Amino acid sequence: MIYVHVPFCGSFCIYCDFYSEIARSAGVRDRYVNDICAEATRRQEEIRRSSAVRTLYFGGGTPSVLPLSSLERIVRAVDAGPLDEFTVEVNPEDIVQGGLDYVRGLLDLGVNRVSMGVQSLDEGMLRWMKRRHDAAGARRAFRLLRQAGVENLSVDVIFGISQLTDEVLERTVSELLDWGPEHVSAYQLTIEPKSALGQLYARGAYVPASDGQCSAQYGLLCERLAAAGFRHYEISNWARPGREAIHNSAYWSRAAYVGLGPGAHSFDGQGRRSWNSQTLSGWTAESETLDDAAQRTERIMLGLRTDRGVGRVELPAGAVERLLGSGALTELPGGFIRIPEDHWFVSDAIIADLV
Ligand code: SF4
C-alpha cells in the first residue's frame, strides 16, 4: 500500500491547508520527480513489505498537474508490482485540458480508479471556493474520463458552507448521481487556521454554518445516496457495492503503508509512524512509536468511522452499555460495535466518550 504525495496545485482553494505549492516551473517539478524517484528506490524494501494491500494512490496537491512522463517515471521507480487498485486524484480542469490522450495515458500507466474533486456544481460556490474549474468543466471532465474508459470514478463534494443552501446542495447531488459515479466522498467544510478561509474567519469576514445546517446537509447526503443504492461505509464515503476504496479502507483498518514525497506519512502496521518534512526538495523523515494505549485509541477512532465498527473488547464496558442504551452505538454480529449512521454526525463526541 503506497501513497505518493504530489505537492503541486494550479491555484489554491480557499479552505485548503494541505502541503502544496503552485507548480510554476518545469525545473521545480523535475527536481521533485528526481527526489521522489530516489526516495522510492531507497525505500524498496519497505515497499515490498507493505504489499499485503496492493494499492497505489497518487494524492496531493493535484497529481494531474504533472505531465504523463513525470507520472510514468514515478510509477516505474515505485515499482509496486501487481496492483488491485491504482487511484489518481485529478482536477477537472486538467482533464479538460489534457483530453482523451491524457486520460488514456493514465490508464496505460495502470490507473484503474480516478478521484475527481468536483466539490459543487454551483458556479457561485465554485468561485467562492476559488476552485480552478467551473461546473461545465466538471461535466466535461467526467464525460471524458468515461469516454476514455475509466470504470471506477469517485467524486468529492463539500457541504456545511454557511451560504450553501440545501436546495443548491440538492441540485449538485442530483446531478452527480445522474452522472453515475461508483463512489462519492462528502466532506464538511472545516476552517483551517492557515488557509485563506481561516484568515477570513479570523477577521470576522466568514461566519461558519451552524451545526443544525451542517447536520441537515449531512442528512440530505445520507438520504439521497442511500436511495441511489450507495453503501455508506465510512463517515465521509459512499460506494456502490464492491466499489469501496481499497486503499482508504486499509488506512482505517491500520494496514502498513509507505508514504512517499513531501509531507507524506508512513505506518508499519504496528506502532511506528513516520512523516516526511514539507519541503519541495530534499525532504527528511521523523518518526514516533505509539505505545499500547495510543494504538488502542487509534483502533477505536478509525474503526468507529466505518460501518464495520470496532471489536467490543477494545471499548470500556460501562460506556458501551450506556451508549448502546441511548442508541449512540449499535451491536453488530461477531462482537463488533459501531456508531449507527444517524449518529455519525456527532461521532466525535461519542468517540471522545470511549477513549
Ligand atoms: S483542495 Fe486540492 S486542489 Fe485545492 S489547493 Fe488544496 S490540494 Fe490543491
Side-chain angles (χ1 to χ4, degrees):
M1 183 180 171
I2 301 142
Y3 173 79
V4 172
H5 190 75
V6 180
F8 300 110
C9 287
S11 61
F12 290 135
C13 306
I14 195 165
Y15 48 79
C16 183
D17 78 337
F18 292 149
Y19 174 59
S20 190
E21 312 256 350
I22 301 295
R24 287 206 172 81
S25 80
V28 170
R29 287 198 303 263
D30 286 348
R31 223 170 22 250
Y32 154 80
V33 174
N34 289 342
D35 283 6
I36 202 162
C37 288
E39 184 185 17
T41 306
R42 196 171 64 243
R43 297 179 67 188
Q44 268 307 305
E45 186 48 40
E46 267 178 89
I47 289 173
R48 296 274 164 273
R49 281 202 306 268
S50 76
S51 63
V53 179
R54 302 191 310 179
T55 61
L56 177 57
Y57 192 107
F58 276 52
T62 311
S64 56
V65 301
L66 288 183
L68 287 169
S69 56
S70 297
L71 294 171
E72 183 177 2
R73 279 188 60 203
I74 300 171
V75 171
R76 283 187 194 285
V78 169
D79 191 17
L83 292 168
D84 294 323
E85 185 182 273
F86 180 0
T87 302
V88 175
E89 291 179 355
V90 303
N91 179 287
E93 197 55 28
D94 296 329
I95 297 303
V96 170
Q97 276 171 21
L100 284 173
D101 286 347
Y102 188 81
V103 183
R104 287 182 181 135
L106 291 178
L107 294 173
D108 287 345
L109 290 179
V111 172
N112 58 11
R113 182 172 183 273
V114 170
S115 173
M116 183 161 75
V118 175
Q119 317 309 0
S120 177
L121 290 170
D122 178 81
E123 299 298 356
M125 292 307 314
L126 288 169
R127 274 198 301 275
W128 179 82
M129 289 188 235
K130 301 201 183 309
R131 296 289 300 176
R132 250 195 307 149
H133 66 278
D134 58 12
R139 290 180 191 112
R140 209 159 148 226
F142 195 93
R143 276 200 304 272
L144 275 167
L145 289 161
R146 282 290 195 230
Q147 200 184 336
V150 178
E151 291 173 357
N152 196 358
L153 262 166
S154 180
V155 291
D156 286 1
V157 187
I158 293 184
F159 69 97
I161 303 171
S162 49
Q163 67 275 33
L164 172 66
T165 62
D166 293 358
E167 292 68 35
V168 168
L169 178 63
E170 167 77 41
R171 274 204 300 277
T172 289
V173 176
S174 293
E175 182 175 344
L176 285 178
L177 290 173
D178 286 346
W179 293 0
E182 282 66 38
H183 190 279
V184 176
S185 300
Y187 300 104
Q188 182 177 328
L189 181 77
T190 49
I191 303 176
E192 304 295 346
K194 288 190 193 147
S195 67
L197 181 62
Q199 287 159 25
L200 283 183
Y201 172 69
R203 55 172 205 269
Y206 176 75
V207 179
S210 67
D211 271 359
Q213 184 185 350
C214 296
S215 165
Q217 294 188 351
Y218 186 66
L220 184 155
L221 286 156
C222 292
E223 229 171 77
R224 291 300 316 270
L225 288 157
F230 282 74
R231 174 181 161 213
H232 193 180
Y233 71 109
E234 195 264 353
I235 287 181
S236 305
N237 288 284
W238 288 256
R240 294 203 176 281
R243 296 298 198 158
E244 296 81 4
I246 302 171
H247 187 88
N248 292 349
S249 299
Y251 283 137
W252 304 319
S253 62
R254 297 183 80 247
Y257 55 86
V258 176
L260 302 170
H265 288 234
S266 301
F267 179 54
D268 71 354
Q270 310 204 344
R272 189 173 169 278
R273 301 199 160 284
S274 61
W275 55 93
N276 289 342
S277 55
Q278 297 187 341
T279 171
L280 264 191
S281 181
W283 52 88
T284 53
E286 284 183 63
S287 67
E288 66 175 0
T289 301
L290 304 179
D291 63 19
D292 289 349
Q295 288 193 55
R296 179 174 152 272
T297 298
E298 206 174 78
R299 284 196 296 275
I300 293 172
M301 291 176 73
L302 292 172
L304 288 179
R305 289 186 64 91
T306 72
D307 66 351
R308 295 184 196 285
V310 66
R312 192 183 181 121
V313 290
E314 303 276 12
L315 302 169
V320 168
E321 290 310 327
R322 179 166 43 77
L323 292 166
L324 283 171
S326 70
L329 291 178
T330 318
E331 204 150 12
L332 299 172
F336 280 78
I337 299 281
R338 69 162 288 192
I339 299 176
E341 188 189 39
D342 62 1
H343 280 69
W344 255 345
F345 187 74
V346 290
S347 60
D348 286 352
I350 298 170
I351 291 170
D353 213 352
L354 291 165
V355 296

